[in-house]
Amino acid sequence: MKNCDQFRELIEAYALGALDPEERSQLEAHLATGCADCAKALEEARWLVCQLAYTAPEAAPSDMLKGRLMQTVRAEAQSQAKPHALPAKSAIPSWLWVGVAALLVFSVYSAWNARRLENEIREANARYAALRIDGQKNQEQLAMAKREAMILMDPTSVKIMMSGSNSQGVQLEAKWHPQLGLVVMGDKIPMPSPHHVLQLWFIPKEKGAKPMPSMMTWPDANGKFVMVVSNPPDSMDNTKALAITEEPEGGSHWPTTTPIYVGPSPDANPSP
């Protein structure tokens, strides 16, 4: 094809929009002559440029690349507005807009994907924290159950019967070990009033001394009552009695009701 060789080297740059106005005018004049080989080469070059946009990595385009693209678009628009501008067919080619749109789509997708990954990581961390809390609770419950069993089985634990003030004659039984602590338990224990708990008190022997508040709990749905106190007073000899009262939910610093269950001090009832 006559004079085709000198234009073949310009076709790829033309497809990228990188020719200067003089070279672009020469190539477009040649294409206007109906050269089938050059037209086909231009079509292939444009298709290749479009495919390059789809192979771009999932990352936002750099500011420099955005600037160059927008500079090219503005230059094309300004040259079209001048009196000596190229014919209408030389306006900003649609394939160039396709490339820009593809880059913008990848940028938006990458940002959305990053946010999605951040949310998934945050949710995974929250689930892990919840599992750790559950694991700690299970370990605490297991340790408390072991302590309860050791107190109940140790022959040196002192038994204290806590008589009830109700007409049914329900009693609580306590076992106090000097080192391991105290266990209070009972069956068929009535549930306290709504928004109330059963609170344990240590009544000191010292005259005028205030009752020492301790643990709070409820019986379960079957009336089973178990309370494990790991830090009772250091010496049982200084305790006059154990008492349980019904207190507002959250407990009290001073008994607000008459004791429901009362038991004498261990030295007054030393039987194991």
Side-chain angles (χ1 to χ4, degrees):
M1 181 65 66
K2 184 179 180 180
N3 297 329
C4 283
D5 293 340
Q6 61 177 327
F7 295 111
R8 287 297 178 87
E9 298 179 355
L10 303 178
I11 289 178
E12 286 79 6
Y14 180 79
L16 291 170
L19 290 180
D20 57 37
E22 182 177 355
E23 290 176 329
R24 186 171 63 246
S25 297
Q26 293 177 0
L27 179 58
E28 289 178 344
H30 174 70
L31 293 172
T33 62
C35 178
D37 291 340
C38 289
K40 182 177 180 182
L42 176 60
E43 181 179 355
E44 293 175 352
R46 286 176 170 174
W47 180 86
L48 180 60
V49 170
C50 290
Q51 294 304 309
L52 288 176
Y54 288 102
T55 60
E58 295 187 3
S62 66
D63 294 338
M64 182 178 295
L65 177 57
K66 291 180 181 178
R68 288 181 178 178
L69 286 172
M70 298 310 298
Q71 185 177 3
T72 301
V73 172
R74 285 195 294 269
E76 291 284 349
Q78 290 173 359
S79 63
Q80 183 181 3
K82 295 179 180 179
H84 57 280
L86 297 175
K89 67 178 182 179
S90 66
I92 301 173
S94 60
W95 58 266
L96 182 58
W97 286 114
V98 171
V100 174
L103 289 175
L104 292 178
V105 167
F106 279 117
S107 177
V108 172
Y109 172 77
S110 297
W112 172 84
N113 193 47
R115 288 194 298 270
R116 179 179 62 82
L117 290 175
E118 289 178 358
N119 291 334
E120 291 180 354
I121 292 173
R122 190 179 299 109
E123 292 175 358
N125 288 336
R127 289 194 296 270
Y128 174 70
L131 289 175
R132 286 191 60 186
I133 293 174
D134 290 342
Q136 291 174 355
K137 290 182 178 178
N138 291 335
Q139 290 179 356
E140 292 174 358
Q141 292 175 355
L142 179 60
M144 196 63 69
K146 288 182 178 179
R147 181 183 293 269
E148 176 187 346
M150 293 173 64
I151 295 173
L152 295 177
M153 295 175 62
D154 196 311
T156 62
S157 297
V158 178
K159 183 168 67 174
I160 306 169
M161 298 305 299
M162 302 180 64
S163 302
S165 61
N166 50 58
S167 58
Q168 291 82 8
V170 178
Q171 290 184 326
L172 293 177
E173 180 180 321
K175 284 267 184 107
W176 193 336
H177 189 281
Q179 286 78 41
L180 298 176
L182 175 72
V183 175
V184 183
M185 54 190 175
D187 291 316
K188 299 180 180 179
I189 305 303
M191 189 69 67
S193 304
H195 307 293
H196 283 71
V197 295
L198 297 181
Q199 184 170 359
L200 175 66
W201 302 87
F202 293 93
I203 312 300
K205 287 182 178 179
E206 184 181 353
K207 186 176 181 180
K210 297 180 180 179
M212 181 185 302
S214 186
M215 300 262 314
M216 297 162 284
T217 190
W218 303 264
D220 63 17
N222 297 321
K224 183 175 179 60
F225 179 91
V226 177
M227 178 185 292
V228 181
V229 183
S230 58
N231 57 343
D234 295 335
S235 176
M236 290 183 284
D237 296 335
N238 297 326
T239 301
K240 179 180 179 180
L242 304 178
I244 289 183
T245 62
E246 182 175 308
E247 302 295 338
E249 194 170 17
S252 302
H253 297 290
W254 183 265
T256 62
T257 63
T258 302
I260 305 174
Y261 301 95
V262 178
S265 62
D267 59 351
N269 188 6
S271 61

